[in-house]
Amino acid sequence: MLISSAFDSGNIEVLDARSPEIRLAIRPDEGGNHYQWFHFRITGAKGQALSLRIENAGGASYPKGWEDYQACVSGDRQTWTRTATRYDNGVLIIDLVPAGDSVWLAYFAPYSHERHLDLVAKSSLHSDVAYRRLGATLDGRDLDLLRVGHGPRPAWIIARQHPGESMAEWLMEGLLARVLDDSDPVARALREAWTLYAVPNMNPDGAARGHLRNNAAGANLNREWAEPSLERSPEVQLVRAEMERTGVAFFLDVHGDEALPYNFIAGAEGIPSWSEEMASRQGDFLEALLKASPDFQTRHGYPQAAPGKANLAMATNWVGERFGCLSMTLEQPFKDTADTPRPEGWSPARAGQLGRAVLEALHQTHL
């Protein structure tokens, strides 16, 4: 039996691989201040009852994320299911009997860099899409932007500032599939009313390195918006510069939350310029998204910042304050939705459907 992680988004350290009780640890992000994402392969263990023990789980960035969590497993890297998992005294224990001699495990279904490139390439073929390379990341990867439609109002949707939140790009895949579906009247109307600027992966370096939150310099991009730099956070610097060129009338930053078993919106309520008009526009969008997706809810989420106390280093707050637009963060669960649970948990397919619902809500909201 062999355990490996030397591949795109791989992350695990093997402490002791002697079965049946296998000792593992998650490798921290660059910067050393975050870890939780894992992704590894087991070969040569078909039919063996394994107990995989991630021994540093208790020191992870969000240990409450392990409660009621089930790890993702796949034999073909296409279909991901959940497997028995428990959290005991700081150790995450995954019980598994591999059905074949090659099995993959991950914190959530991975969204590979190759799939990202396929998404960008396929989307770029549409006649209503223009591709732009905004610049290079610190590891030399392209930062990709898709401009969709030709309407008068600019809408920006970005995903995966935190690279381990792979459900964010699964949502973007579903969103792009719908907005580029010429048989869909909502898609056609949106492309007439809006110009959508989509960044499917804000942090390709962190994603490839198997990070949870940081980029190649150890920066948490969603704390860099007030003062980004090409040396530390070029991804934010490049996107901010393009936003200044295009303007922003609607902004959505797509994420995942480790602990909360809900889909929810976090707004920009604490920014200095927050107003009743902004609150009304946000309320309209939330109501529309509730109607568009039963997997979305508004009862549970993050506490609102006190008036004038929002952290302007975060994307939603900086964009809302700078452009005076409807600016929000959409969070998805790593586990499942407590109100609408499914055997597969929260999944790529369900994230894609929520992306489609986001477009429905945007279409129904008067901004």
Side-chain angles (χ1 to χ4, degrees):
M1 183 187 69
L2 180 70
I3 298 173
S4 60
S5 62
F7 45 77
D8 182 357
S9 80
N11 184 330
I12 206 71
E13 294 178 353
V14 180
L15 305 178
D16 188 344
R18 288 175 294 184
S19 63
E21 205 167 84
I22 299 165
R23 298 173 56 229
L24 305 168
I26 301 172
R27 183 184 68 252
D29 293 5
E30 182 69 28
N33 58 338
H34 283 292
Y35 69 86
Q36 194 135 0
W37 172 264
F38 61 85
H39 182 198
F40 58 93
R41 184 188 191 191
I42 302 174
T43 55
K46 180 180 180 179
Q48 298 182 36
L50 304 178
S51 178
L52 308 168
R53 299 174 59 86
I54 299 180
E55 296 190 350
N56 65 344
S61 299
Y62 304 98
K64 284 191 173 295
W66 304 128
E67 298 173 6
D68 300 319
Y69 166 78
Q70 291 185 308
C72 296
V73 61
S74 177
D76 61 4
R77 300 200 302 162
Q78 301 298 315
T79 301
W80 291 83
T81 58
R82 301 283 180 156
T83 192
T85 307
R86 63 189 189 278
Y87 182 57
D88 183 20
N89 198 29
V91 178
L92 188 72
I93 305 167
I94 304 170
D95 296 315
L96 179 69
V97 180
D101 273 322
S102 178
V103 64
W104 307 74
L105 290 100
Y107 186 31
F108 193 82
Y111 199 102
S112 71
H113 190 62
E114 283 300 307
R115 190 177 185 109
H116 165 82
L117 295 176
D118 288 343
L119 174 64
V120 171
K122 181 180 179 181
S123 300
S124 298
L125 294 175
H126 194 282
S127 60
D128 224 356
V129 174
Y131 168 81
R132 183 172 178 191
R133 177 185 182 272
L134 291 177
T137 65
L138 293 172
D139 282 345
R141 293 183 176 85
D142 299 329
L143 187 61
D144 299 314
L145 173 69
L146 296 169
R147 190 188 73 210
V148 181
H150 49 271
R153 291 176 290 178
W156 277 80
I157 302 180
I158 68 172
R160 229 170 158 187
Q161 287 203 82
H162 297 151
E165 297 165 9
S166 55
M167 65 284 292
E169 195 157 6
W170 287 110
L171 182 147
M172 291 294 282
E173 182 176 292
L175 183 150
L176 287 166
R178 182 176 188 186
V179 78
L180 298 178
D181 182 355
D182 290 332
S183 68
D184 188 327
V186 170
R188 296 196 304 270
L190 282 170
R191 298 202 311 261
E192 289 285 339
W194 294 88
T195 296
L196 169 63
Y197 296 89
V199 183
N201 188 348
M202 281 283 295
N203 197 340
D205 290 351
R209 286 169 172 241
H211 288 179
L212 176 73
R213 291 177 78 82
N214 294 350
N215 73 351
N220 175 352
L221 295 184
N222 203 28
R223 300 298 185 273
E224 293 286 313
W225 284 76
E227 297 181 348
S229 71
L230 292 178
E231 295 74 27
R232 176 176 168 83
S233 48
E235 303 89 349
V236 175
Q237 175 82 347
L238 293 165
V239 168
R240 259 190 38 158
E242 187 67 8
M243 285 179 168
E244 294 287 359
R245 190 184 71 82
T246 67
V248 186
F250 173 87
F251 176 72
L252 189 67
D253 183 15
V254 186
H255 284 259
D257 184 273
E258 289 78 6
L260 295 177
Y262 305 100
N263 290 297
F264 60 94
I265 287 286
E269 288 88 351
I271 63 175
S273 63
W274 184 257
S275 64
E276 290 186 6
E277 181 184 359
M278 287 180 171
S280 177
R281 286 182 292 181
Q282 182 170 292
D284 289 346
F285 181 85
L286 295 180
E287 186 64 30
L289 189 52
L290 279 170
K291 293 177 180 177
S293 175
D295 277 338
F296 179 72
Q297 58 80 52
T298 57
R299 298 183 308 280
H300 306 275
Y302 299 148
Q304 293 181 7
K309 299 298 182 180
N311 183 355
L312 296 181
M314 298 174 68
T316 286
N317 296 327
W318 184 87
V319 173
E321 182 66 16
R322 169 65 185 85
F323 296 100
C325 65
L326 177 56
S327 183
M328 300 169 293
T329 301
L330 174 59
E331 297 282 357
Q332 303 172 76
F334 277 85
K335 305 172 185 179
D336 198 356
T337 50
D339 298 334
T340 55
R342 296 278 304 162
E344 69 273 21
W346 192 244
S347 67
R350 297 176 72 190
Q353 290 293 342
L354 184 59
R356 293 172 170 85
V358 164
L359 293 178
E360 184 70 38
L362 179 59
H363 176 61
Q364 296 294 336
T365 304
H366 301 288
L367 298 176

